C-alpha cells in the first residue's frame, strides 16, 4: 500500500463503483474545485465537476459510475499516479450524474418511441453556457426563448443512446438527440448533443 493509498483511505470517503458484473467497494478523495485534477481556481459555474484521487487497488476506469453517499458521479478523465515506477493511485475528473433519465428508441412496428432503458444516470448541461444564450438572443431577440437551446449529455456507453433516441428526465422533460450531432463514445463514456423538445 502506497502512502497516497493510506491517505485516501484516511482523508477520503467510502464509495462504490457501480458495475453490471458486481459492484466494487473502495475509497475516494474528492474536491469540487478540481484542484487534484489540475484546476487551480474555483469557478461556481463548474460545481458539477470535481477532481478525485482513488487508491491504486481501486480498479477504477474511465466511464465508471461512482456512488458516494447519495450522489452519483461519472469518471470522465483518469490518469495513473506513478512514483519511482510504483503505482500510487489514480487522479482525474468526475461529473455529477444525479439526473436520472429513461432512454427511448423508435419501434417501427408500433410507430412509437418505447422505453429502451430506464434509471440511467446522466449529466445534462447547457452547451456553450452563457455565451451561446447571449449570442442567440442578440441575433433574434423577439424569437429566442431558450427552450431549444442545445444541451450536452454525458452518460455511460451502456445507456444505449443512439442518433434516434429520445430522452425523458425525472422531471418528464423530453430531449431528442440532435440530428446534427451523432453520439460519440470512447472509454466507456458517451457524449452527445440533445435538444429540449417538450
Amino acid at each position: 500500500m502506497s502512502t497516497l493509498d493510506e491517505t485516501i483511505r484516511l482523508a477520503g470517503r467510502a464509495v462504490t463503483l457501480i458495475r453490471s458484473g458486481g459492484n466494487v467497494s473502495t475509497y475516494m478523495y474528492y474536491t469540487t474545485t478540481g484542484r487534484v485534477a489540475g484546476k487551480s481556481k474555483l469557478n461556481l459555474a463548474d460545481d458539477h465537476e470535481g477532481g478525485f484521487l482513488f487508491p491504486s487497488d481501486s480498479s477504477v476506469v474511465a466511464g465508471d459510475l461512482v456512488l458516494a453517499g447519495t450522489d452519483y458521479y461519472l469518471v470522465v478523465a483518469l490518469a495513473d499516479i506513478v512514483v519511482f515506477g510504483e503505482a500510487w493511485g489514480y487522479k482525474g475528473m468526475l461529473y455529477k450524474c444525479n439526473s436520472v433519465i429513461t432512454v427511448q428508441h423508435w419501434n417501427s412496428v408500433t410507430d412509437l418511441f418505447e422505453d429502451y432503458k430506464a434509471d440511467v444516470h446522466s449529466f445534462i448541461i447547457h452547451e456553450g453556457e452563457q455565451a451561446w444564450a447571449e449570442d442567440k438572443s442578440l441575433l433574434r431577440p423577439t424569437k429566442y426563448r431558450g427552450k431549444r437551446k442545445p444541451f450536452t449529455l454525458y452518460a455511460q456507453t451502456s445507456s444505449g443512446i443512439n442518433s434516434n433516441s429520445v430522452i425523458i428526465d425525472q422531471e418528464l422533460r423530453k430531449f431528442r438527440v440532435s440530428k446534427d450531432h451523432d453520439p460519440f463514445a470512447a472509454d466507456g463514456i458517451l457524449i452527445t448533443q440533445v435538444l429540449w423538445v417538450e
Side-chain angles (χ1 to χ4, degrees):
M1 176 186 299
S2 72
T3 305
L4 181 59
D5 285 347
E6 188 174 352
T7 302
I8 294 168
R9 284 180 172 84
L10 292 173
R13 62 190 297 189
V15 298
T16 304
L17 304 178
I18 307 299
R19 302 243 176 101
S20 58
N23 296 342
V24 176
S25 297
T26 187
Y27 292 85
M28 173 182 76
Y29 175 77
Y30 175 80
T31 174
T32 54
T33 63
R35 194 173 300 273
V36 296
K39 286 197 168 187
S40 58
K41 295 181 181 177
L42 175 62
N43 183 347
L44 295 179
D46 293 337
D47 66 346
H48 61 276
E49 67 179 20
F52 69 79
L53 295 172
F54 273 95
S56 61
D57 63 354
S58 65
S59 76
V60 66
V61 295
D64 264 339
L65 189 65
V66 180
L67 175 60
T70 58
D71 289 320
Y72 288 85
Y73 298 90
L74 180 66
V75 178
V76 294
L78 181 71
D80 296 336
I81 302 171
V82 178
V83 179
F84 299 117
E86 180 186 352
W88 271 40
Y90 301 96
K91 67 178 180 176
M93 291 295 295
L94 297 170
Y95 282 174
K96 191 177 285 186
C97 283
N98 286 339
S99 181
V100 181
I101 61 172
T102 297
V103 179
Q104 295 184 330
H105 286 178
W106 179 256
N107 184 325
S108 59
V109 175
T110 62
D111 282 339
L112 296 170
F113 279 98
E114 297 178 353
D115 290 358
Y116 171 77
K117 190 166 189 179
D119 299 323
V120 174
H121 285 272
S122 67
F123 172 62
I124 303 172
I125 189 169
H126 287 180
E127 191 169 291
E129 288 291 66
Q130 294 300 324
W132 195 95
E134 289 169 6
D135 290 348
K136 192 73 168 180
S137 61
L138 287 171
L139 181 64
R140 301 182 69 195
T142 60
K143 301 287 185 185
Y144 175 65
R145 297 290 181 267
K147 189 172 182 182
R148 292 187 58 82
K149 176 178 173 181
F151 293 78
T152 301
L153 181 145
Y154 294 82
Q156 293 180 296
T157 53
S158 60
S159 65
I161 296 171
N162 62 39
S163 59
N164 296 311
S165 294
V166 167
I167 289 97
I168 313 291
D169 73 4
Q170 69 267 26
E171 303 297 326
L172 301 181
R173 290 175 291 222
K174 186 181 285 187
F175 297 85
R176 180 77 192 255
V177 174
S178 171
K179 290 181 170 50
D180 299 327
H181 188 348
D182 286 332
F184 172 78
D187 295 329
I189 304 161
L190 181 136
I191 306 168
T192 191
Q193 184 185 80
V194 295
L195 299 175
W196 179 15
V197 294
E198 64 178 69

